[in-house]
Amino acid sequence: MIQLSDHFTYKKLLSFTIPSIVMVIFTSLYTIVDGIFVSNVAGNDAFAALNLIWPIIPIMGAVGFMIGMGGSALIAKTLGEGEHTKANEIFSMLIYVLMGIGALLSVIGIFFMEDFARLLGASEELVPYCVIYGRTLSIFMVGYFLQNASQSFLVTAERPKLSLALTLAAGFTNIVLDYLFISVFRWGILGAALATGLSWLVGGIIPFFYFLFPNPTPLALGKTRLDLRALGQACFNGSSEMISNLSMSVINVLYNLELMKMIGSDGVVAYGIIQYIAFVFVGAYLGYAFGITPVLGYQYGANNHKELKNLLKKSLILIAIAAVVLTILAEMMANLLASIFVSYSIELMTLTSHAIRIYSLSFLVAGFNIFASSFFTALNNGFISGLLSFVRTFVFQVVSIIVMPLLFGLDGIWAAISVAEVGALFVSAFFLKEEKKKYGY
């Protein structure tokens, strides 16, 4: 079994991170299944509504990502320092806090979803669809929080394969229930929401009970106390993940508003399809970040500067290879990917495949920026990590969304993400160079 304290060769690094990569990609795939079923069975309005209201869910779930990633880095560092009891106390506290916040946000989502839908620009025809989907998912928010956090905590507990297995189980649950609820029972967008929510319970509740009972990992749920300093450090470490989720959700809203203004609901549908595809391709980079962060955090806690340098060098090489491969795949598969969702409309399929080809150029750069942010999360430097995420997912993208359509029309909107990623790359490179002496990598 690979341990966080090992020296990582390319083979060992891939063996440890591939389960996380597959986990994130598969999570993206089973989210996409909702879109495929809704688009092809429930219809265009339901699919447009799903894409309009979806940003609210990651906004509410951003705290779960923040505490999961930030807490994992803190717990890995604490384990690296040899303080196993303290690590378990922090772990237990974070899980209980997540459950409490998830329950609170469930109530908020249920009562205010209609207001959210109107705020996001939903037309009167789309509001009922948005409310049904959003309220149903809000009921399962605790499961969503636990699933997101457990993906990171299981890797920190040196069980990436178990994390993958649970993600696969949740994914297959969603796929089967999507078919049953949407295609067989004809419950439409309600069926899509129920399928997703129940899959969150599979991915979140099972690891909760795994850690609750005796297990062979370094982590276990037990008695704890409210440690505001540790909670604050976890939130600070994971601020980049929260910023990324919040920013991406806001950016999605801006894209939808701009596209509704330019070409109407077809633009929202095309952008929704692009986001599903980006979930999968960018998911490879996010999965690697999930997998590598506890390793980096452990080595930082153990003051093993040589291994930090080794991990950084190998990671940049692997990301460069992945960037070329993923971009070529996306360009070659654009027509096929568009047809999966909108084969019923040649015009919409042509629009979507053209947009995919322009948008996919961003995959050449995105991986380096995602890794740079997670690298500083692992080093417990929440300020730089958060700053990198903020300029990448918000500042540069907002500017690009405003400026690029003025210069290049509709193509400018699809290219905005690539311009933003290139700008963020310069910022990432600057901080990696500037902090080199401080952290010894």
Side-chain angles (χ1 to χ4, degrees):
M1 184 183 71
I2 299 173
Q3 297 182 318
L4 299 179
S5 57
D6 290 351
H7 166 68
F8 280 78
T9 61
Y10 281 109
K11 181 179 179 181
K12 190 171 287 188
L13 188 56
L14 288 171
S15 295
F16 193 80
T17 57
I18 279 177
S20 294
I21 294 170
V22 175
M23 174 186 68
V24 174
I25 291 175
F26 193 78
T27 300
S28 303
L29 285 172
Y30 80 71
T31 302
I32 290 170
V33 171
D34 277 358
I36 294 173
F37 276 103
V38 170
S39 178
N40 288 283
V41 180
N44 214 45
D45 283 348
F47 187 50
L50 184 154
N51 289 308
L52 276 173
I53 200 63
W54 173 255
I56 289 297
I57 305 304
I59 286 174
M60 292 196 295
V63 177
F65 282 105
M66 174 181 68
I67 293 179
M69 283 291 284
S72 292
L74 176 60
I75 292 165
K77 177 177 175 289
T78 307
L79 290 172
E81 293 168 343
E83 299 187 54
H84 291 262
T85 300
K86 183 179 179 182
N88 276 289
E89 289 178 352
I90 294 172
F91 168 66
S92 299
M93 176 196 66
L94 294 179
I95 290 291
Y96 302 147
V97 167
L98 278 170
M99 294 176 72
I101 296 174
L104 175 63
L105 288 175
S106 286
V107 175
I108 292 174
I110 290 168
F111 281 98
F112 294 99
M113 195 55 63
E114 183 173 346
D115 296 320
F116 294 152
R118 297 185 186 281
L119 183 65
L120 294 175
S123 63
E124 289 302 319
E125 293 79 16
L126 297 183
V127 166
Y129 292 111
C130 291
V131 171
I132 291 171
Y133 189 75
R135 278 182 177 165
T136 305
L137 286 182
S138 295
I139 295 170
F140 300 95
M141 195 56 61
V142 172
Y144 183 50
F145 270 45
L146 288 177
Q147 182 185 47
N148 291 335
S150 295
Q151 289 174 345
S152 298
F153 288 141
L154 282 167
V155 175
T156 304
E158 300 172 343
R159 292 297 184 277
K161 291 182 180 179
L162 177 58
S163 181
L164 172 59
L166 288 171
T167 301
L168 291 174
F172 285 120
T173 298
N174 190 40
I175 292 169
V176 171
L177 292 181
D178 263 333
Y179 172 75
L180 187 65
F181 293 165
I182 301 175
S183 294
V184 178
F185 295 165
R186 298 287 172 171
W187 289 349
I189 202 166
L190 171 62
L194 282 173
T196 298
L198 291 171
S199 73
W200 289 347
L201 293 184
V202 172
I205 300 301
I206 292 176
F208 172 80
F209 284 105
Y210 176 80
F211 286 120
L212 187 62
F213 295 107
N215 66 79
T217 76
L219 298 180
L221 283 170
K223 292 182 179 179
T224 187
R225 60 184 178 84
L226 182 60
D227 185 341
L228 293 178
R229 182 176 180 181
L231 179 60
Q233 183 64 51
C235 293
F236 185 63
N237 290 346
S239 59
S240 62
E241 282 65 40
M242 183 185 72
I243 290 170
S244 291
N245 278 274
L246 291 176
S247 298
M248 285 189 291
S249 297
V250 172
I251 292 301
N252 287 346
V253 172
L254 291 178
Y255 266 107
N256 287 334
L257 290 174
E258 187 69 21
L259 286 165
M260 282 289 285
K261 182 174 67 177
M262 293 179 74
I263 56 175
S265 61
D266 279 357
V268 174
V269 171
Y271 181 67
I273 293 168
I274 290 173
Q275 288 307 288
Y276 284 134
I277 293 164
F279 287 159
V280 175
F281 283 83
V282 175
Y285 302 130
L286 291 171
Y288 186 83
F290 277 134
I292 195 69
T293 295
V295 182
L296 291 165
Y298 185 96
Q299 298 298 343
Y300 170 60
N303 289 312
N304 191 344
H305 302 300
K306 183 178 179 181
E307 187 61 20
L308 273 180
K309 184 176 181 179
N310 168 61
L311 290 165
L312 174 60
K313 179 182 177 181
K314 285 182 169 59
S315 294
L316 293 177
I317 291 172
L318 289 172
I319 290 168
I321 294 170
V324 174
V325 173
L326 291 174
T327 304
I328 291 173
L329 280 175
E331 295 291 334
M332 292 175 61
M333 297 173 63
N335 284 333
L336 173 62
L337 294 170
S339 69
I340 293 173
F341 292 89
V342 288
S343 58
Y344 53 83
S345 170
I346 298 298
E347 183 180 350
L348 190 51
M349 192 169 73
T350 302
L351 168 69
T352 304
S353 60
H354 176 69
I356 291 170
R357 288 194 176 94
I358 298 175
Y359 191 98
S360 296
L361 294 174
S362 65
F363 301 155
L364 282 169
V365 186
F368 296 103
N369 292 322
I370 291 169
F371 173 76
S373 179
S374 67
F375 185 72
F376 286 106
T377 295
L379 299 179
N380 283 249
N381 190 326
F383 174 76
I384 294 180
S385 178
L387 180 62
L388 291 178
S389 288
F390 183 65
V391 297
R392 170 183 171 255
T393 60
F394 189 77
V395 176
F396 287 127
Q397 287 212 52
V398 168
V399 173
S400 296
I401 292 169
I402 294 171
V403 174
M404 291 296 287
L406 296 177
L407 297 175
F408 303 103
L410 187 59
D411 282 352
I413 250 197
W414 309 131
I417 179 66
S418 297
V419 174
E421 291 287 4
V422 170
L425 183 63
F426 285 102
V427 181
S428 297
F430 171 79
F431 279 108
L432 283 170
K433 183 179 179 182
E434 285 296 306
E435 299 298 316
K436 184 176 180 180
K437 289 184 179 179
K438 178 179 178 180
Y439 293 105
Y441 53 75

